[in-house]
């Protein structure tokens, strides 16, 4: 029997080869009808025998093009028509607001094969791409996603490229960045100051490779920004890069040629292999093997190494050429090209100005990067991804929430800032913007807001911000002129972010272990137990409040924090611990005793700092979280460790995780000569016990079983590994972040969830 159906498909269905896929499928099955785009996504009318229609729908839903993602599908029957052909309708120029912009995608296997095939017309062409791969988000100026609205606008398609572009049966049908050596962008190599072009096209690659082999630092223009590249096996060269970049110890990422090559230097299980080779091509933090050729300066003292695979054709060519030259697997440091904490460089002129003091030469091209997107960074813990940075490859894919409300602008926190826009129940989290502590970062923050509003066609009706009065994002929000505003507590936003990811809106227990966040009482919070939901919460427990002598300075010098915790634990009569001999303790003790410049905090991050300094002698740090990372990495096996004494006290309905007993017990262990790895393991285990005991007490009082974990401290692998099973053992149900990071980069998501509910209720 002949039937005709009208289908509607929504999700990531634009710019991913969806319509040609539908066309080819229909033609193959001998079906008639048409496919087109409109404001609600892709619509299809399809006519044929029932059995063939069933196959069509099955393949449509279960085997869409690699980059498509169907989030909604509807069908209904309509009257049969008398037309035999299937065709693609031209785009309606009306609003495409409901369709989604694809993230940037790594070079696909087909393009890679062509890139390395001497008989292909794009052999060694660094900008080869197709409907299944290539730049997207980083080159889109405006929607609908069409070539004139991208940074490819200035490159007119040659006849060969145009015929691919116009042929529905071609892999490059409507591939907006389609290009070839005749009509597309080109590369060249410049001297560091940009005064001289050294070589062009293939010669530029050849010369780049020889510079790298010479230990030189190369600035390479990539997909979402510039990288600084240097031979990762050459310690002197890496040290030189660190000096010039003013980055002392923070680990650098390494690009390897293939998964096989990655396996030679790191332990990689199946889920890690899958993540490493995914189309997003993130940096994956992997366990280093022993005796590997990677220079110590790449990730000093770190047990893990951030690896990534090549994701642009230019990367592939560089690594393949390096391999051919040397016969050994190339290991290339590829680190974001920026000055200390400033945003990554994206523009040629900017590169000439800002990178000339760091790089020895610049490998440039003339396809503009419109939008910055740093490499994403993840780690696998068992089967679960732990995000450190969700950026290139993932942005701007939305996170879908249950609640629907007016469009919101959520401005995030201060460090690791991201912003979010909402449309219906979709939350569009921006790429990594960074720490809003310098002018370029502040400008990037503002331009990201403008750009995202533009490409997503969202006009926010209200703004949501953090309560911290000194955050740049907060001040910006308050000055923004929005009539409807909502300020939300930092750790409540952390909690709401996990809840949003798991569609939870019943009361939960929130264990939020964090660095710092502005508390409702005007003090700095960061080790909190909440009971509540997205709309409201009650603080039911906290880490004991401690003083941070010297404020920000103490965060760079954890020994000050250790001193403060011990001073309190021993009531001023300090024990004889080795680390105290290395520092000028007297002025700090005075600060504490006179209560001068020593703000109070319940931060869990500071607790880690204190233990690292006291037991491991980590006196000063060079990047955020360094002390905690070293403490964690040095740890002996937690499951076999003993525990320290601790106590949890209840006062006025608030559970306090007291730290005096813990610190006295730890200090005794240090003076008894227990080694650092064992102390670290015991500390982790004790903290896990303290957290789960407290959660159980809250459970007994409230009956609530669901526990959500968030805050920067949950980037700690040992906590993520051992706390959830411990809580489950106590009969609780645990929820962790799955699509975003536990750190402050997901505050904007929590703000969105809270804002949607708040403003929806107000309507
Ligand atoms: Zn491709
Ligand atoms: Zn061409
Ligand atoms: Fe936080």
């Amino acid at each position: 029997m002949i039937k005709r159906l009208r289908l509607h498909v929504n999700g990531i269905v634009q710019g991913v080869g969806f319509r040609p896929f539908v066309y080819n499928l229909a033609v193959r099955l001998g079906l008639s009808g048409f496919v087109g785009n409109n404001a609600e996504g892709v619509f299809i009318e399809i006519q044929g025998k029932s059995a063939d229609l069933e196959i069509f729908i099955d393949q449509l839903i279960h085997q869409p093009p690699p980059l498509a993602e169907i989030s909604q599908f509807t069908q209904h029957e309509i009257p049969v028509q008398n037309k035999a052909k299937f065709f693609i309708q031209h785009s309606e120029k009306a609003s495409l607001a409901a369709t989604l912009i694809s993230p940037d995608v790594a070079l696909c296997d087909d393009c890679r094969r062509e890139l390395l095939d001497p008989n292909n017309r794009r052999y060694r062409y660094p900008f080869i791409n197709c409907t299944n791969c290539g730049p997207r988000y980083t080159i889109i100026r405006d929607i609908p996603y069409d070539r004139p609205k991208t940074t490819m606008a200035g490159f007119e398609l040659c006849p060969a490229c145009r015929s691919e572009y116009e042929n529905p049966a071609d892999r490059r049908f409507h591939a907006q960045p389609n290009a070839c050596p005749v009509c597309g962008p080109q590369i060249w190599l410049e001297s560091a100051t940009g005064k001289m072009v050294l070589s062009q096209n293939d010669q530029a690659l050849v010369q780049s490779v020889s510079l790298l082999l010479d230990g030189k630092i190369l600035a390479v223009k990539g997909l979402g920004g510039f990288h600084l590249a240097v031979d990762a096996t050459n310690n002197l060269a890496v040290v030189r890069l660190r000096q010039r970049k003013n980055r002392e110890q923070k680990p650098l990422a390494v690009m390897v040629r293939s998964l096989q090559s990655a396996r030679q230097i790191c332990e990689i299980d199946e889920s890690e292999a899958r993540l490493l080779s995914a189309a997003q091509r993130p940096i994956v933090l992997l366990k280093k093997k022993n005796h590997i050729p990677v220079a110590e300066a790449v990730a000093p003292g770190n047990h893990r190494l951030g690896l990534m695979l090549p994701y642009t054709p230019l990367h592939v060519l560089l690594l393949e050429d390096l391999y051919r030259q040397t016969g050994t697997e190339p290991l290339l440091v590829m680190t974001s090209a920026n000055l200390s904490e400033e945003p990554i460089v994206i523009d040629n002129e900017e590169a000439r100005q800002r990178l000339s003091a760091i790089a020895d030469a610049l490998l440039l091209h003339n396809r503009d990067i419109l939008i910055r997107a740093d490499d994403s960074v993840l780690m696998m813990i068992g089967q679960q991804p732990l995000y450190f940075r969700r950026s290139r490859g993932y942005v701007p894919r939305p996170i879908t929430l249950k609640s629907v409300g007016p469009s919101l602008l959520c401005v995030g926190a201060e460090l690791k800032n991201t912003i979010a826009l909402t449309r219906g129940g979709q939350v569009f989290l921006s790429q990594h913007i960074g720490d809003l502590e310098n002018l370029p970062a502040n400008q990037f923050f503002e331009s990201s807001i403008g750009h995202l509003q533009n490409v997503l066609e969202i006009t926010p009706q209200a703004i949501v911000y953090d309560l911290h009065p000194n955050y740049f994002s907060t001040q910006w929000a308050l000055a923004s002129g929005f009539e409807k505003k909502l300020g939300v507590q930092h750790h409540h936003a952390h909690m709401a972010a996990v809840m949003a990811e798991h569609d939870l809106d019943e009361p939960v227990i929130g264990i939020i272990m964090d660095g710092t966040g502005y508390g409702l009482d005007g003090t700095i919070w960061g080790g909190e137990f909440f009971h509540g939901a997205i709309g409201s919460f009650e603080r039911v427990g906290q880490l004991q409040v401690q003083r941070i002598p010297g404020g920000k300075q103490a965060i760079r010098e954890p020994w000050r924090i250790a001193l403060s915790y011990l001073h309190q634990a021993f009531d001023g009569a300090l024990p004889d611990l080795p680390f105290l001999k290395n520092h000028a303790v007297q002025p700090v003790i005075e600060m504490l005793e006179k209560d001068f410049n020593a703000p109070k905090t319940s931060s869990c991050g500071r607790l880690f700092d204190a233990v690292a300094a006291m037991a491991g002698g980590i006196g000063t740090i060079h990047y955020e979280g360094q002390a905690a990372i070293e403490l964690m990495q040095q740890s002996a096996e937690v499951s076999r460790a003993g525990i320290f004494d601790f106590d949890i006290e209840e006062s006025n309905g608030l559970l306090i995780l007291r730290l005096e007993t813990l610190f006295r017990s730890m200090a005794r262990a240090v003076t008894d000569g227990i080694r650092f790895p064992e102390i670290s393991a015991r500390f982790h285990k004790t903290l896990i016990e303290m957290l789960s005991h407290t959660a159980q007490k809250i459970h007994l009082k409230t009956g609530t079983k669901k526990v959500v974990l968030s805050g920067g401290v949950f980037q700690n692998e040992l906590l993520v590994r051992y706390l959830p099973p411990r809580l489950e053992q106590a009969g609780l149900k645990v929820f962790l972040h799955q699509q975003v990071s536990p750190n402050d980069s997901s505050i904007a998501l929590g703000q969105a969830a809270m804002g949607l509910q708040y403003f929806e209720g107000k309507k």
Side-chain angles (χ1 to χ4, degrees):
M1 200 186 90
I2 302 291
K3 278 203 304 191
R4 188 177 184 89
L5 299 174
R6 185 164 171 100
L7 316 175
H8 233 122
V9 189
N10 207 345
I12 300 182
V13 288
Q14 203 193 0
V16 293
F18 201 80
R19 283 177 303 157
F21 155 77
V22 170
Y23 172 88
N24 287 313
L25 182 59
V27 169
R28 207 166 60 236
L29 293 167
L31 302 170
S32 64
F34 58 86
V35 56
N37 272 333
N38 69 6
E40 273 84 49
V42 167
F43 59 87
I44 302 165
E45 286 195 12
I46 188 86
Q47 178 172 327
K49 289 196 202 108
S50 299
D52 292 335
L53 292 177
E54 262 171 47
I55 299 173
F56 177 85
I57 290 172
D58 184 73
Q59 300 221 357
L60 184 76
I61 294 176
H62 296 111
Q63 288 162 39
L67 303 181
E69 203 171 296
I70 298 174
S71 55
Q72 243 179 32
F73 175 82
T74 60
Q75 66 172 85
H76 62 267
E77 203 173 333
I78 53 172
V80 172
Q81 287 183 17
N82 206 359
K83 282 177 197 138
K85 280 182 73 173
F86 193 93
F87 61 96
I88 296 178
Q89 260 195 3
H90 279 292
S91 271
E92 289 174 20
K93 285 289 170 195
S95 163
L96 289 169
T99 51
L100 303 174
I101 294 169
S102 162
D104 301 293
V105 187
L107 185 72
C108 74
D109 291 343
D110 290 329
C111 286
R112 189 193 152 92
R113 215 170 298 122
E114 292 173 357
L115 175 70
L116 302 175
D117 172 7
N119 297 318
N120 191 280
R121 72 183 187 98
R122 292 190 180 84
Y123 176 56
R124 291 182 64 81
Y125 178 57
F127 301 93
I128 184 171
N129 68 83
C130 73
T131 322
N132 301 325
C133 74
R136 295 287 187 279
Y137 178 59
T138 51
I139 61 165
I140 296 176
R141 208 179 291 282
D142 208 346
I143 57 164
Y145 171 57
D146 263 330
R147 192 171 175 109
K149 303 258 171 85
T150 71
T151 62
M152 287 298 292
F155 299 95
E156 199 176 331
L157 290 162
C158 70
C161 287
R162 174 158 300 281
S163 79
E164 293 166 338
Y165 182 89
E166 287 170 353
N167 176 6
D170 196 278
R171 202 173 88 242
R172 297 195 166 86
F173 176 69
H174 281 195
Q176 306 302 346
N178 189 25
C180 77
V182 176
C183 66
Q186 307 291 343
I187 58 166
W188 68 93
L189 188 71
E190 275 186 19
S191 61
T193 50
K195 293 241 164 65
M196 198 173 34
V197 172
L198 303 172
S199 48
Q200 287 175 296
N201 300 330
D202 224 50
Q203 202 45 44
L205 273 168
V206 174
Q207 202 177 352
S208 294
V209 164
S210 73
L211 286 173
L212 286 170
L213 291 175
D214 240 14
K216 296 286 192 285
I217 299 166
L218 202 63
V220 182
K221 189 174 184 179
L223 193 56
F226 276 74
H227 281 118
L228 290 162
V230 75
D231 180 358
T233 66
N234 183 335
N235 203 55
L236 275 176
V238 179
V239 168
R240 196 175 327 120
L241 171 62
R242 285 196 176 279
Q243 284 163 349
R244 292 191 192 167
K245 201 180 172 220
N246 194 12
R247 171 155 162 164
E248 285 170 87
Q249 293 188 350
K250 198 171 175 184
L252 304 168
V254 173
M255 188 174 273
V256 294
R257 197 169 67 104
S258 63
L259 189 55
Q260 230 176 347
S261 164
R263 288 189 199 277
Q264 290 174 6
I265 52 174
C266 288
E267 311 277 353
I268 299 174
D269 68 19
E270 270 325 294
S271 57
E272 288 167 329
R274 229 174 296 127
L275 184 61
L276 203 54
S277 3
Q280 290 89 354
R281 286 287 199 283
I283 295 170
V284 184
L285 304 177
L286 300 159
K287 283 216 184 70
K288 266 187 204 168
K289 286 188 172 169
N290 292 325
H291 314 296
I292 55 172
V294 176
E296 176 58 23
V298 172
N302 207 302
H303 293 190
R304 288 198 179 248
L305 189 60
L307 292 191
M308 65 179 144
L309 297 180
Y311 55 85
T312 69
L314 184 58
H315 295 153
V316 171
L317 293 172
L318 277 175
L319 284 140
E320 292 297 327
D321 286 5
L322 280 164
Y323 177 69
R324 256 205 324 218
Q325 282 280 313
T326 61
T328 54
E329 286 295 341
L331 302 168
L332 206 57
V333 165
M334 288 285 262
T335 185
S336 299
N338 56 0
L339 294 168
S340 51
E341 298 302 323
E342 292 185 1
I344 186 170
V345 172
I346 55 173
D347 178 75
N348 289 354
E349 199 42 50
E350 195 188 357
R352 289 175 188 121
Q353 284 166 18
R354 287 170 62 198
L355 302 178
S356 61
I358 305 176
D360 297 305
L362 312 169
L363 182 55
L364 302 180
H365 61 68
N366 54 350
R367 185 180 72 197
D368 288 343
I369 301 171
L370 193 72
I371 293 303
R372 224 174 238 117
D374 288 80
D375 294 321
S376 296
V377 184
L378 289 92
M379 185 195 283
M380 289 304 297
I381 301 207
Q383 297 297 311
Q384 287 297 321
L386 173 61
Y387 283 79
F388 287 78
R389 185 195 292 156
R390 179 187 183 271
S391 204
R392 178 189 49 76
Y394 296 93
V395 171
R397 264 171 61 159
I399 293 156
T400 305
L401 307 189
K402 212 160 46 176
S403 42
V404 180
S407 284
L408 303 175
L409 168 59
C410 309
V411 294
E414 172 94 341
L415 299 180
K416 302 185 172 69
N417 178 274
T418 69
I419 61 114
L421 285 167
T422 73
R423 178 169 69 202
Q426 291 176 321
V427 184
F428 297 89
L429 208 54
S430 75
Q431 70 273 41
H432 170 76
I433 293 174
D435 300 348
L436 302 182
E437 291 181 323
N438 54 65
L439 188 62
N442 296 348
Q443 288 164 341
F444 180 27
F445 168 86
E446 288 194 324
S447 65
S448 300
I449 291 173
H451 180 73
L452 266 178
Q453 287 185 14
N454 193 31
V455 294
L456 297 170
E457 285 202 317
I458 291 174
T459 310
Q461 307 297 305
I463 191 163
V464 191
Y465 58 93
D466 194 280
L467 287 176
H468 201 307
N470 298 336
Y471 281 0
F472 173 80
S473 57
T474 303
Q475 293 170 353
W476 190 91
L478 293 174
S480 65
F482 276 92
E483 205 175 293
K484 291 185 186 167
K485 300 189 209 43
L486 175 66
V488 301
Q489 201 277 325
H490 184 91
H491 303 101
H492 190 200
H494 271 299
M495 175 165 115
V498 190
M499 296 180 73
E501 278 193 67
H502 292 277
D503 266 349
L504 298 173
D505 198 25
E506 54 275 39
V508 299
I509 298 168
I511 305 182
I512 316 302
M513 295 295 132
D514 203 22
T516 57
Y518 196 74
L520 292 181
D521 55 7
T523 68
I524 297 299
W525 293 5
E528 314 305 317
F529 285 82
F530 290 168
H531 184 256
I534 288 176
S536 68
F537 75 98
E538 194 188 345
R539 190 191 200 201
V540 288
Q542 63 172 111
L543 281 183
Q544 182 185 350
V545 168
Q546 298 287 341
R547 271 197 285 235
I548 304 303
K552 274 199 170 167
Q553 192 183 357
I555 293 174
R556 288 189 298 270
E557 296 178 19
W559 66 269
R560 290 166 172 266
I561 300 169
L563 177 55
S564 166
Y565 284 36
L566 288 164
H567 189 265
Q568 167 135 345
F570 286 88
D571 209 6
L574 288 173
D576 186 22
L577 294 172
F579 88 96
L580 292 169
K581 298 186 181 71
N582 302 330
H583 305 286
V585 297
Q586 209 44 48
V588 178
I589 292 175
E590 266 170 44
M591 272 183 184
L592 292 167
E593 286 177 349
K594 293 184 180 150
D595 196 6
F596 160 72
N597 190 18
K600 287 178 180 163
T601 181
S602 52
S603 166
C604 188
R606 299 296 83 78
L607 171 61
F608 277 82
D609 289 347
V611 178
M614 177 186 89
I618 300 163
T620 336
I621 58 166
H622 302 278
Y623 59 92
E624 201 207 350
Q626 186 183 359
I629 291 170
E630 289 184 14
L631 174 66
M632 175 193 74
Q633 292 202 341
Q634 302 272 323
S635 174
E637 177 54 46
V638 171
S639 57
R640 285 196 291 271
I643 62 169
F644 294 118
D645 303 331
F646 66 89
D647 57 307
I648 298 164
E649 157 198 297
E650 184 160 357
S651 96
N652 300 326
L654 190 67
L655 295 160
I656 310 281
L657 287 73
R658 297 211 67 97
L659 299 175
E660 291 99 339
T661 314
L662 173 64
F663 270 82
R664 283 196 295 266
S665 175
M666 282 193 291
R668 212 176 309 121
V670 175
T671 46
D672 285 353
I674 309 266
R675 294 168 59 96
F676 184 48
E678 179 57 28
I679 290 184
S680 170
R682 282 190 205 175
F683 164 70
H684 280 93
K685 192 158 187 174
T686 309
L687 182 62
I688 287 164
E689 285 303 309
M690 291 175 86
L691 298 179
S692 59
H693 270 81
T694 309
Q696 280 173 73
K697 283 177 196 276
I698 298 168
H699 164 63
L700 289 177
K701 266 204 276 192
T702 60
T704 302
K705 259 188 147 172
K706 293 181 176 167
V707 180
V708 303
L709 308 180
S710 185
V713 171
F714 286 107
Q715 292 175 111
N716 180 311
E717 203 186 322
L718 297 176
L719 291 191
V720 177
R721 218 179 270 280
Y722 294 109
L723 180 60
R726 180 69 187 82
L727 290 165
E728 306 249 343
Q729 193 193 330
L732 302 169
K733 177 108 184 67
V734 183
F735 298 87
L736 293 150
H737 287 287
Q738 281 178 338
Q739 307 174 64
V740 296
S741 172
N743 69 34
D744 282 3
S745 64
S746 48
I747 287 293
L749 172 61
Q751 291 174 343
M754 295 163 83
L756 282 179
Q757 206 176 78
Y758 178 85
F759 288 109
E760 180 63 7
K762 289 273 141 95
K763 244 182 21 189

